[in-house]
Amino acid sequence: MTITTTVQCDALNCCAEREIEDAYDSSVTAAGWHVDPNDGYQHYCPRCWPVVKKELEELEEEDA
């Protein structure tokens, strides 16, 4: 039996995925991906993260 764990990018219109060691956030970040700091169930690939990070920062500024 083979068990694989993959992380899929949650950004709109992105189909990126990557096999990771296990289902922990540490494995996600070790693979170069990013976990949404406000929602631990959302994960973003290195290509989408800069855009998502900017959007999150803008939302924080609006809330302040």
Side-chain angles (χ1 to χ4, degrees):
M1 173 171 64
T2 301
I3 298 172
T4 59
T5 303
T6 58
V7 61
Q8 297 175 330
C9 185
D10 290 305
L12 186 62
N13 297 325
C14 184
C15 299
E17 64 181 25
R18 172 137 186 212
E19 190 171 319
I20 57 174
E21 191 78 22
D22 54 41
Y24 297 108
D25 288 348
S26 59
S27 291
V28 173
T29 56
W33 285 50
H34 301 271
V35 180
D36 186 323
N38 301 320
D39 180 359
Y41 294 104
Q42 301 292 314
H43 306 87
Y44 302 100
C45 69
R47 188 186 66 184
C48 292
W49 177 244
V51 174
V52 172
K53 182 179 177 186
K54 183 177 179 183
E55 289 176 1
L56 292 173
E57 289 170 349
E58 289 173 355
L59 287 174
E60 283 182 14
E61 289 175 4
E62 289 177 9
D63 291 341

